[in-house]
Amino acid sequence: MKSKMRIAIVDVFRGSSALCNALDKRGHEVYFISSDKISPRFAHSRIQVNLWKKTISLPYKNLPLFFDRICGYQPIIPHLLTILEEIEPDIVNAHEHTHMTTSLPVAWFKRGWKTVLTEHGCIWKRKRDKIITPFVRYFLFPFIDAFVAITPAAKRFLEENGARNVQVIGNSVDCQTFKPVIHISSRENIILFVGRLYAFKGIVYLLKAVKEVVREIPDSKLFIIGGGPLKDIIRKLSEKYEWIHYLGIKKRKELPRYYNMAKVFVLPSLHEPFGTVLVEAMACGTPVIGSNVEGIPYVIGEAGITIPPKDHKALKEAIITVLKKDEIAETLSKKGRERAVRLFSHEVAAKRYEALFYKILRG
């Protein structure tokens, strides 16, 4: 078995460039194939990421309208197979976000490579999935050599639908960039949210909870970072209430500063396959609170507090606990940093992907 692999990572949403860098540092030849523009769904809300030096940007297109209406958003990358034939990779790692069109061509039309599918979703409940799920079970999954699930919930979903050889490898962050700079005891009573401003992120329940927190802890502030459909509403509310501070969209390199300002980070999502922002906060030593849904409990583990979704009373109590009880805040700060480094650093993810790639190449 050769020690150096040629790896192609395909992700229409550009979220895997850091994995490319980590695998490159381990001595492999890595290429990142992505779209040359951001999906319309993320155009005004996506936190900017740096692209890998060996990025091949290709246009993406949606499948025909009738198919799109039946099966939902299904982006395809034209010329993907042509590029892969030129690269001649040993491994193609396709990243899917509850769709199938990135992995389908590389699994069906292999040219000597092994295919690994990384599934970023963990549950499919939409109407389109009545069509997609049976299709991938019988016409896609059997052609995949190995699967990566970002959480145990995603692993269960894959195995329930016929996937075999599934390994859990979480999304990763740069724990050298995201690190504690300000000790938790020296931070102000700032409650932080970072993410897309959609209703499913639980913004309404966060606002209700913090409104009640402020009554008990008057110097509390809510900082909100991100963009999306609710940004205008959040901006207007920030003008009305002095405890709401809407900071807009920030580049990823700016985020460690805000995580280090916050006494607690909150992600009250109603739907969340993983929650990379939780790991970023934990890596910065910021105590985290998240909804007990899908991938969040795995990400947080015992290093934070989970609360029922849509329960702003429970969220309020959790926030007050962290803000008022310094010993709990400090314990969660230390546990969060340790968990982020141990499970979710780029280096750890790269080692696990590398081991999986070697395993399937050995057959």
Side-chain angles (χ1 to χ4, degrees):
M1 176 61 61
K2 58 183 178 181
S3 59
K4 180 178 179 180
M5 291 180 284
R6 183 173 293 180
I7 303 164
I9 295 178
V10 185
D11 190 345
V12 73
F13 289 142
R14 297 185 172 187
S16 307
S17 55
L19 176 60
C20 297
N21 186 51
L23 287 167
D24 175 80
K25 289 181 178 179
R26 298 189 64 78
H28 304 292
E29 186 176 353
V30 188
Y31 296 86
F32 184 38
I33 303 174
S34 187
S35 62
D36 64 353
K37 61 179 180 178
I38 296 174
S39 160
R41 297 188 302 167
F42 294 83
H44 302 293
S45 62
R46 189 172 176 82
I47 296 171
Q48 298 179 35
V49 297
N50 294 323
L51 292 184
W52 170 235
K53 60 187 178 183
K54 292 182 181 177
T55 294
I56 301 170
S57 294
L58 299 172
Y60 75 81
K61 298 181 181 295
N62 290 335
L63 288 177
L65 181 61
F66 76 93
F67 190 89
D68 188 54
R69 285 188 175 181
I70 295 173
C71 294
Y73 178 72
Q74 295 290 329
I76 58 174
I77 303 179
H79 316 300
L80 174 58
L81 290 174
T82 301
I83 293 297
L84 289 174
E85 288 175 357
E86 293 179 6
I87 294 173
E88 296 183 339
D90 301 302
I91 296 286
V92 178
N93 177 208
H95 289 249
E96 296 284 22
H97 305 260
T98 64
H99 54 73
M100 60 186 174
T101 46
T102 300
S103 55
L104 197 62
V106 301
W108 276 9
F109 304 104
K110 295 178 184 177
R111 300 293 189 270
W113 59 72
K114 298 288 187 179
T115 303
V116 176
L117 188 160
T118 298
E119 173 56 57
H120 287 266
C122 61
I123 187 168
W124 294 1
K125 286 185 174 180
R126 288 162 287 194
K127 292 181 180 179
R128 73 178 198 191
D129 300 323
K130 293 180 180 179
I131 296 174
I132 291 180
T133 303
F135 182 90
V136 299
R137 182 184 183 107
Y138 296 107
F139 298 103
L140 173 59
F141 287 179
F143 297 92
I144 301 294
D145 297 291
F147 296 81
V148 172
I150 60 173
T151 65
K155 183 176 188 289
R156 287 192 296 273
F157 159 74
L158 287 169
E159 291 179 336
E160 287 169 0
N161 286 285
R164 295 292 179 266
N165 193 15
V166 185
Q167 181 172 336
V168 175
I169 305 176
N171 292 339
S172 61
V173 304
D174 183 354
C175 291
Q176 299 303 314
T177 299
F178 291 89
K179 61 183 179 181
V181 176
I182 301 174
H183 191 273
I184 192 67
S185 62
S186 301
R187 303 184 192 184
E188 298 180 31
N189 288 327
I190 293 173
I191 304 151
L192 177 64
F193 171 89
V194 178
R196 292 179 286 146
L197 300 181
Y198 284 74
F200 74 84
K201 289 291 186 177
I203 302 295
V204 170
Y205 306 99
L206 175 60
L207 293 170
K208 286 182 178 180
V210 177
K211 186 176 182 179
E212 295 185 13
V213 170
V214 171
R215 292 172 185 164
E216 191 163 336
I217 308 176
D219 65 343
S220 301
K221 303 172 186 176
L222 174 62
F223 284 13
I224 297 176
I225 295 175
L230 299 180
K231 67 178 181 180
D232 291 335
I233 295 175
I234 298 299
R235 184 179 289 110
K236 289 178 181 178
L237 288 173
S238 69
E239 295 170 356
K240 182 178 180 180
Y241 298 102
E242 62 180 13
W243 49 270
I244 301 176
H245 298 259
Y246 176 54
L247 306 180
I249 300 173
K250 300 295 180 182
K251 293 182 178 180
R252 190 165 296 278
K253 64 182 180 181
E254 300 177 87
L255 292 180
R257 171 193 171 195
Y258 294 99
Y259 287 124
N260 271 278
M261 292 171 62
K263 194 72 168 285
V264 62
F265 177 84
V266 181
L267 187 64
S269 302
L270 313 183
H271 159 67
E272 196 69 59
F274 188 81
T276 302
V277 289
L278 288 167
V279 181
E280 292 173 347
M282 290 159 61
C284 291
T286 306
V288 296
I289 299 171
S291 301
N292 186 19
V293 297
E294 298 175 8
I296 289 179
Y298 167 69
V299 174
I300 292 178
E302 296 182 354
I305 301 173
T306 56
I307 49 94
K310 301 183 181 180
D311 190 341
H312 78 277
K313 294 290 186 182
L315 180 55
K316 177 199 75 172
E317 294 301 326
I319 293 172
I320 289 174
T321 296
V322 176
L323 295 185
K324 280 191 169 183
K325 299 184 178 180
D326 292 342
E327 67 279 7
I328 291 179
E330 185 158 353
T331 297
L332 294 179
S333 174
K334 291 179 179 178
K335 285 186 174 181
R337 172 65 185 179
E338 186 277 331
R339 185 173 179 83
V341 172
R342 177 169 53 87
L343 294 181
F344 304 119
S345 68
H346 290 328
E347 293 75 18
V348 167
K351 287 180 182 179
R352 291 182 175 178
Y353 269 99
E354 179 186 61
L356 176 61
F357 294 164
Y358 277 139
K359 179 181 177 181
I360 65 173
L361 286 177
R362 286 194 299 266

